[in-house]
Amino acid sequence: MGTVSRISKEILLVLTITFGMSGVRSLLGLIDDLLSTTPLNEQQETIYDEASQIGWLDLALQVTSAATLFAWGLLALFLLGTSMPKMRWSDWGWGALLAALIGIPGLGLYLVALQLGLSKEVIPTTDAVEIPVLLLWSAANAFGEEVVVVMWFMTRLKQLKWPAWAAIGASSILRGSYHLYQGISAGFGNIIMGIVFGFFYYKTGKIWPLVIAHFIIDAVAFVGYLALDLSWLGL
């Protein structure tokens, strides 16, 4: 089997197993939402969905789902024949900068899109007990997505002789596709995020800043509301 053929088949298989199929499901889900008689901005998307009403069983199911995301990232590293590079303190600085660059405008985009009917209303958690699981999900999403969608996917496209702009574009479109379940604006917003992250990786070859930035963005989205709502402290 030729190298090009092998890489092409690997891309098809990995994306079918991971985020490619997630993108297809999100697109179909968005079509279903748009065909609903309820306007998109009157529909809700809950950040934390219980997998079971039994506490310990819900925790176990959430952990296994997060483990799947970590495994996707580890699979991509295995296929690349490499491991995660050593994390440096500078990675945290770049991560925080990228998180602010993406997160602050992203919040504004969400609020505008909600008013224009292009996004669902995202319901944050109000239960402090869920915080550890949400932080685990933040880490799992960050690791799985950035390693697969940026590091592995862009590396393989480079090996197929794709120009940088095409590889960045493909990576960003993939990222946008599996966020369509939140609404049209989430898809476009994540495409923009993908362009920024893809360009950063292309220029620096650093993956940890992207993982850190993604973790910060998700952690703030998942638990930030709870930090502002002090009722759970009895205040």
Side-chain angles (χ1 to χ4, degrees):
M1 184 186 300
T3 301
V4 172
S5 176
R6 183 192 179 282
I7 292 176
S8 299
K9 291 179 179 178
E10 179 184 309
I11 290 175
L12 178 62
L13 287 171
V14 173
L15 292 187
T16 300
I17 294 170
T18 63
F19 297 104
M21 190 59 67
S22 296
V24 173
R25 287 197 300 265
S26 288
L27 175 59
L28 295 175
L30 176 62
I31 293 173
D32 184 53
D33 293 333
L34 292 173
L35 293 176
S36 171
T37 56
T38 303
L40 193 63
N41 60 350
E42 293 182 14
Q43 299 177 38
Q44 296 181 337
E45 184 66 38
T46 304
I47 285 181
Y48 183 91
D49 288 324
E50 285 187 340
S52 171
Q53 294 183 347
I54 302 172
W56 68 267
L57 189 54
D58 176 60
L59 176 61
L61 290 167
Q62 298 292 346
V63 169
T64 55
S65 295
T68 298
L69 286 167
F70 281 117
W72 287 356
L74 292 173
L75 172 62
L77 290 174
F78 176 79
L79 292 171
L80 289 174
T82 187
S83 58
M84 288 293 285
K86 183 179 179 180
M87 187 186 297
R88 303 181 182 277
W89 284 110
S90 60
D91 294 335
W92 286 93
W94 279 112
L97 181 62
L98 287 168
L101 180 64
I102 296 297
I104 295 174
L107 176 60
L109 174 63
Y110 162 72
L111 294 174
V112 171
L114 190 62
Q115 294 299 316
L116 295 176
L118 299 175
S119 174
K120 294 182 182 178
E121 180 184 4
V122 178
I123 306 299
T125 183
T126 56
D127 189 348
V129 177
E130 297 168 357
I131 287 180
V133 176
L134 291 172
L135 292 178
L136 175 64
W137 266 107
S138 299
N141 282 329
F143 181 79
E145 290 186 39
E146 302 313 323
V147 172
V148 174
V149 177
V150 178
M151 185 179 185
W152 167 80
F153 192 36
M154 287 185 59
T155 298
R156 287 301 190 231
L157 293 180
K158 180 180 179 180
Q159 292 170 339
L160 291 177
K161 307 301 182 183
W162 283 42
W165 65 267
I168 294 171
S171 175
S172 62
I173 291 172
L174 174 60
R175 185 189 298 268
S177 69
Y178 56 81
H179 285 93
L180 287 172
Y181 70 94
Q182 296 177 358
I184 299 172
S185 64
F188 282 107
N190 275 278
I191 287 176
I192 295 172
M193 176 179 174
I195 292 173
V196 174
F197 277 27
F199 183 77
F200 180 89
Y201 182 74
Y202 169 72
K203 285 294 186 179
T204 67
K206 296 180 180 292
I207 192 64
W208 274 119
L210 305 185
V211 175
I212 292 168
H214 194 145
F215 172 77
I216 293 172
I217 292 170
D218 278 10
V220 170
F222 285 170
V223 304
Y225 179 85
L226 186 60
L228 298 176
D229 180 11
L230 301 182
S231 61
W232 62 281
L233 290 175
L235 300 177

